[in-house]
């Protein structure tokens, strides 16, 4: 009911709204992706790498301190402990195996903050494939450490100087590249966005998160279903992975957390469900923030991974059908939540994940409830932001 249909739609969202020149590539993927990724050989390779290269299963950690503070029993799904520091590697591992299977020699990707770029450069180094990462020129300057990592991993980072010189412009450039190089190139999209089959394919690769949660919860509590699952949503891939095997379990409450930036009404926000409406973004019918004449509104969040003007079609459908509740969290609420987890548990979370943590303040949790919070990544990349915020707060 909440999974993709045969035409690539989730309710009225999804599909493939793409330039004529992309049809051949996309149609091929649409026809082949399920057959390829469901073979025994593919699954063995994928599972083996998730175990030995990524370090899965990621632990499910009972946070006594958060439980004492917010009620219920709160468990953190530790995607922060994965190789390269977040859930993004689950998807890039899957897609590099697909690219190899298809005999592709060249990988392209686009990246905003650089996290997906690093995860892509990592698997390309491992697979020995050429890697080109398109990145807005503004982002290249803002995200120097990740640019250096990609370069060190052997990827070529191409600064894009059109438009606002950010993620949207990098995406256009990646699409242009794919159209010019349809034969030898695979395009690795980093979230549950883009034309069908990407949202479904990425959700399936990330669904290992909820698959593991079920096994781990059963072991720890005797029940594989929690009361609530909380995850942050940029494009929506970590949330899709954490929700996936609970989508049809109506008793499991799904809570998606968006970035309000400086506040939903400030004009500097990325809270798509609060501010957006239906339109086409990156090849899919979905919810996005746009002006009356359909121009994309530049999003804002302190967290680079949530700084995206839409959400993927699965999440648009979960919102539209009320299957998931969507709440939003400001920059400052997320920053305070990051410090709280650091102080209570000695775990420094990614700024994106801190939005999910801040949601604990905004929901009711009954004593008997079991709550899963997907800790999508670690905070090393955000130390400068954390230090600046808390230094300025203290003086
Ligand atoms: C990129 C990123 C996100 C946001 O992307 P989704 O596709 O919405 O998951 C969230 N957390 C971390 C740590 C990230 O790097």
């Amino acid at each position: 009911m909440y999974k993709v249909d045969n035409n690539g739609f989730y309710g009225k969202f999804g599909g493939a709204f793409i330039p004529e020149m992309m049809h051949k590539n996309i149609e091929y993927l649409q026809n082949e992706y399920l057959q390829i990724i469901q073979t025994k050989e593919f699954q063995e390779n994928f599972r083996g790498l998730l175990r030995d290269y990524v370090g899965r299963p990621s632990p499910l950690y009972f946070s006594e301190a958060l439980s004492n503070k917010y009620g219920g029993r709160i468990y953190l799904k530790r995607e922060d402990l994965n190789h390269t520091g977040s859930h993004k590697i689950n998807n890039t591992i899957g897609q590099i195996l697909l690219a190899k299977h298809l005999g592709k020699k060249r990988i392209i990707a686009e990246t905003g903050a650089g996290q997906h770029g690093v995860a892509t450069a990592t698997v390309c180094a491992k697979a020995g494939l050429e890697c080109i990462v398109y990145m807005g020129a503004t982002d290249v300057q803002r995200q120097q450490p990740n640019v250096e990592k990609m370069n060190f991993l052997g990827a070529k980072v191409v600064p894009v100087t059109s438009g606002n010189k950010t993620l949207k412009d990098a995406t256009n450039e990646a699409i242009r590249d794919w159209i010019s190089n349809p034969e030898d190139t695979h395009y690795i999209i980093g979230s549950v966005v883009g034309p069908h089959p990407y949202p479904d394919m990425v959700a399936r690769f990330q669904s290992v998160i909820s698959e593991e949660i079920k096994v781990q919860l059963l072991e720890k509590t005797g029940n594989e279903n929690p009361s609530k699952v909380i995850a942050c949503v940029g494009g929506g891939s970590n949330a899709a992975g954490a929700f996936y095997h609970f989508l049809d379990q109506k008793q499991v409450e799904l809570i998606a957390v968006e970035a309000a930036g400086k506040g939903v009404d400030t004009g500097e926000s990325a809270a798509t469900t609060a501010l957006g409406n239906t339109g086409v973004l990156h090849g899919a019918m979905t919810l996005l923030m746009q002006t009356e004449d359909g121009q994309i509104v530049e999003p804002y969040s302190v967290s680079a991974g949530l700084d995206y003007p839409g959400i993927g079609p699965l999440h648009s459908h979960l919102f539209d059908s009320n299957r998931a509740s969507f709440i939003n969290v400001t920059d400052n609420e997320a920053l305070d939540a990051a410090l709280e987890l650091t102080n209570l548990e000695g775990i420094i979370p990614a700024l994106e994940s801190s939005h999910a943590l801040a949601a604990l303040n905004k929901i009711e949790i009954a004593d008997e409830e079991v709550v899963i919070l997907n800790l999508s990544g670690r905070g090393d990349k955000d130390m400068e932001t954390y230090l600046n915020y808390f230094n300025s707060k203290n003086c």
Side-chain angles (χ1 to χ4, degrees):
M1 193 167 165
Y2 299 101
K3 307 249 163 83
V4 79
D5 71 18
N6 288 335
N7 300 316
F9 279 85
Y10 302 85
K12 61 184 190 215
F13 302 102
F17 299 82
I18 49 171
E20 183 71 36
M21 310 263 290
M22 254 171 104
H23 278 176
K24 207 175 140 211
N25 273 331
I26 289 293
E27 261 167 36
Y28 186 75
L29 279 182
Q30 287 173 351
N31 293 333
E32 302 295 327
Y33 82 108
L34 280 181
Q35 271 170 29
I36 297 167
I37 70 177
Q38 287 174 338
T39 60
K40 186 152 171 270
E41 189 197 351
F42 186 97
Q43 282 297 320
E44 275 174 9
N45 280 335
F46 181 54
R47 302 283 163 163
L49 287 173
L50 289 183
R51 187 186 62 224
D52 299 335
Y53 186 74
V54 175
R56 303 201 72 92
S58 67
L60 187 69
Y61 171 68
F62 173 63
S63 172
E64 195 176 346
L66 287 178
S67 306
N68 286 340
K69 174 142 194 215
Y70 295 104
R73 274 175 295 161
I74 302 176
Y75 291 86
L76 303 176
K77 181 60 173 162
R78 300 288 310 275
E79 294 299 299
D80 60 312
L81 295 177
N82 293 341
H83 180 42
T84 71
S86 82
H87 66 291
K88 288 205 169 71
I89 191 86
N90 303 329
N91 169 47
T92 56
I93 291 276
Q95 289 207 46
I96 203 76
L97 290 176
L98 176 75
K100 282 223 132 181
H101 181 94
L102 297 174
K104 305 289 184 179
K105 300 279 177 285
R106 193 172 166 271
I107 298 296
I108 57 171
E110 93 290 319
T111 193
Q115 294 301 106
H116 173 57
V118 169
T120 303
T122 299
V123 295
C124 287
K126 200 199 108 42
L129 295 185
E130 186 186 355
C131 182
I132 295 114
V133 180
Y134 291 98
M135 193 168 179
T138 309
D139 291 335
V140 170
Q141 280 191 341
R142 287 195 287 199
Q143 311 290 339
Q144 266 306 312
N146 276 340
V147 173
E148 280 157 13
K149 267 192 203 166
M150 287 184 267
N151 285 330
F152 196 62
L153 285 160
K156 184 175 164 211
V157 179
V158 180
V160 176
T161 53
S162 56
N164 272 329
K165 307 182 179 131
T166 58
L167 181 60
K168 172 164 58 65
D169 314 292
T171 304
N172 291 340
E173 211 51 48
I175 288 172
R176 214 163 288 154
D177 180 315
W178 208 24
I179 289 171
S180 321
N181 302 284
E183 299 296 333
D184 66 344
T185 299
H186 177 67
Y187 179 14
I188 300 189
I189 292 183
S191 189
V192 285
V193 302
H196 178 62
Y198 280 99
D200 183 52
M201 183 163 69
V202 176
R204 282 170 190 263
F205 291 146
Q206 294 291 1
S207 72
V208 65
I209 298 173
S210 49
E211 187 183 306
E212 289 173 3
I213 291 171
K214 275 179 169 294
V215 175
Q216 292 166 324
L217 255 195
L218 183 64
E219 197 181 285
K220 287 176 198 289
T221 70
N223 181 351
E224 63 176 17
N225 292 322
S227 317
K228 293 178 163 75
V229 183
I230 308 174
C232 66
V233 171
S237 67
N238 86 88
F243 294 171
Y244 196 86
H245 292 285
F246 303 114
L247 287 171
D248 295 322
Q249 252 69 56
K250 287 283 177 59
Q251 75 275 27
V252 180
E253 199 184 328
L254 307 176
I255 300 172
V257 187
E258 293 192 279
K262 298 196 172 152
V264 168
D265 300 320
T266 60
E268 291 183 83
S269 180
T272 302
T273 57
L275 296 169
N277 46 39
T278 305
V280 172
L281 179 65
H282 295 157
M285 186 66 72
T286 199
L287 292 174
L288 69 145
M289 306 195 303
Q290 56 189 330
T291 60
E292 259 168 39
D293 50 359
Q295 298 282 47
I296 293 165
V297 172
E298 202 60 32
Y300 165 81
S301 165
V302 66
S303 149
L306 303 184
D307 195 351
Y308 185 71
I311 54 176
L314 163 64
H315 294 290
S316 296
H317 182 51
L318 295 178
F319 174 73
D320 194 53
S321 61
N322 285 319
R323 174 65 187 95
S325 36
F326 281 71
I327 57 183
N328 57 67
V329 157
T330 65
D331 289 356
N332 287 356
E333 289 167 338
L335 287 158
D336 291 336
L339 183 62
E340 180 176 86
L341 187 72
T342 303
N343 285 340
L344 288 178
E345 289 288 6
I347 297 171
I348 304 176
L351 248 174
E352 293 82 6
S353 322
S354 304
H355 285 71
L357 288 161
L360 292 171
N361 255 320
K362 306 194 160 197
I363 59 173
E364 296 290 326
I365 302 174
D367 283 346
E368 68 280 5
E369 288 194 317
V370 170
V371 177
I372 303 286
L373 192 143
N374 199 38
L375 201 70
S376 55
R378 67 174 88 118
D380 312 30
K381 66 187 180 55
D382 300 310
M383 281 316 299
E384 202 181 313
T385 310
Y386 290 155
L387 292 175
N388 286 341
Y389 176 72
F390 291 108
N391 288 337
S392 69
K393 224 180 153 177
N394 291 337
C395 57

